[in-house]
Structure formats: C-alpha cells, structure tokens
C-alpha cells in the first residue's frame, strides 16, 4: 500500500475525485499487468526480460545469487513478489545468507545441511505457498457430511475457481 504524504492527503480531502482517479489508475495498472502475464506473446517476453534484467541489477549480476533467486518459470506462473528491497538483502550482507542446500536435520544451534552445519539465530521456513493448506486448513463440510479436503483428494476442481460441487455456498 502506498504511503501518502500530507500534501496528497490534503489534495484528496479538497478534491475527492482525485481519490477515484487514483484508484481507477491502480485498477487499470493491475489489470494491464495481468493481461501481460496471461498472454504469452512478444509483449510478455519483453516484460520478462526487463524484469529479469532489473533483478540481475539488484543482485549486481552475482551469478551465485542470480542462479538461485531468479525464477526459472515465466512471470505470473506463481505469486509475484512486488518488492524492491528483498533481493538486495542478499548481496554483500554479513547478517543474512541465502542457503538452498538440502537440510538433513535441525540441530539445537541451527541446521545441518548436506554440505555443512550452520549456527543460526533464526530459521525462515519459506518453501512457497501451500494452496491446499490454505483452503483445507479448517474443516469444511458439504452435503452428506463430506469434508472438503477429502473431496479434493479425488476431485480437486472448482467451477471457475470458486464453486465446488456438493459444497453449497462455498
């Protein structure tokens, strides 16, 4: 969410239509991005190259970082992180390290990877978004007392992504 200066807030109060213009502009920007992400033409490829170039610049083209932090899938295939301060954290930082080695186990002082044992103050568990866990994290019952997670084991589908058969009002 943008942080609005006192001047902008004052303008919004004095000229309320400016808020509407700003909201419509944001809407059109997001919808425009979605159109780029959903089409697989030249425009999408150009944006892909531009964004990857920007990511490489933020990482000072350090091959050890770019190979592990720049996704190998097309833009929009997964949730897009809209941030300009995430990638620079990893370059030349003595307090934060990117470790992508397989973990053998957690120790009392950190973790043991297949390559080394690391002493850590904190472990950030970030493996991606779990769609199943987000939908079925709580018991949801449909007709005939059927659990949604059980239904999704055999029929993981929803009409238009919103309506699930035998689960009225879900």
């Amino acid at each position: 969410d943008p942080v609005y200066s006192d001047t902008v807030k004052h303008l919004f109060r004095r000229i309320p239509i400016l808020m509407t213009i700003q909201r419509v502009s944001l809407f059109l920007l997001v919808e425009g991005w979605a159109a780029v992400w959903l089409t697989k033409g030249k425009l999408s490829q150009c944006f892909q190259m531009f964004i990857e170039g920007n990511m490489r610049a933020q990482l000072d083209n350090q091959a050890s970082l770019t190979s592990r932090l720049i996704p190998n899938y097309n833009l929009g295939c997964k949730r897009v992180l809209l941030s300009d301060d995430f990638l620079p954290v990893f370059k030349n930082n003595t307090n934060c390290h990117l470790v992508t080695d397989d973990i053998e186990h957690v120790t009392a002082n950190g973790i043991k990877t297949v390559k080394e044992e690391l002493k850590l103050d904190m472990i950030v568990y970030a493996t991606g978004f779990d769609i199943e866990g987000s939908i079925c994290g709580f018991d949801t019952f449909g007709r005939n007392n059927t659990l949604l997670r059980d239904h999704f084991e055999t029929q993981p589908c929803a009409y238009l992504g919103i309506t699930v058969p035998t689960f009225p009002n879900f």
Side-chain angles (χ1 to χ4, degrees):
D1 291 337
V3 176
Y4 297 107
S5 68
D6 289 338
T7 303
V8 172
K9 290 178 191 176
H10 177 74
L11 284 170
F12 282 165
R13 278 192 296 275
R14 301 276 296 171
I15 311 169
I17 191 71
L18 290 178
M19 286 188 290
T20 303
I21 292 169
Q22 189 258 353
R23 293 294 296 164
V24 168
S25 299
L26 285 176
F27 171 80
L28 292 173
L29 178 68
V30 171
E31 291 300 308
W33 273 111
V36 169
W37 292 334
L38 295 175
T39 60
K40 302 300 177 210
K42 294 284 184 201
L43 184 61
S44 178
Q45 291 171 358
C46 288
F47 274 102
Q48 180 87 22
M49 290 183 345
F50 172 77
I51 289 171
E52 283 184 16
N54 184 281
M55 293 171 77
R56 288 181 195 289
Q58 288 184 47
L59 295 168
D60 291 338
N61 278 316
Q62 295 179 26
S64 63
L65 293 175
T66 58
S67 64
R68 295 185 293 163
L69 287 169
I70 295 180
N72 59 0
Y73 48 83
N74 289 336
L75 179 66
C77 289
K78 295 186 180 184
R79 188 171 286 186
V80 178
L81 176 64
L82 300 175
S83 172
D84 59 358
D85 58 3
F86 174 72
L87 293 175
V89 165
F90 295 104
K91 65 177 188 184
N92 303 323
N93 193 335
T94 58
N95 298 323
C96 180
H97 305 281
L98 177 65
V99 178
T100 58
D101 301 327
D102 291 344
I103 297 173
E104 287 185 351
H105 60 272
V106 176
T107 66
N109 297 317
I111 59 172
K112 169 78 173 89
T113 70
V114 293
K115 292 185 179 178
E116 62 185 325
E117 184 165 344
L118 302 165
K119 293 187 189 290
L120 304 171
D121 296 324
M122 177 188 305
I123 300 171
V124 177
Y125 182 72
T127 61
F129 182 66
D130 178 9
I131 188 70
E132 183 179 312
S134 70
I135 292 175
C136 301
F138 51 90
D139 290 344
T140 303
F141 293 93
R143 290 193 181 119
N144 302 321
N145 216 23
T146 306
L147 269 171
L148 182 61
R149 78 173 61 88
D150 294 342
H151 178 78
F152 275 176
E153 282 183 18
T154 58
Q155 295 176 298
C157 67
Y159 178 68
L160 297 177
I162 56 172
T163 303
V164 180
T166 72
F167 288 82
N169 300 321
F170 180 71

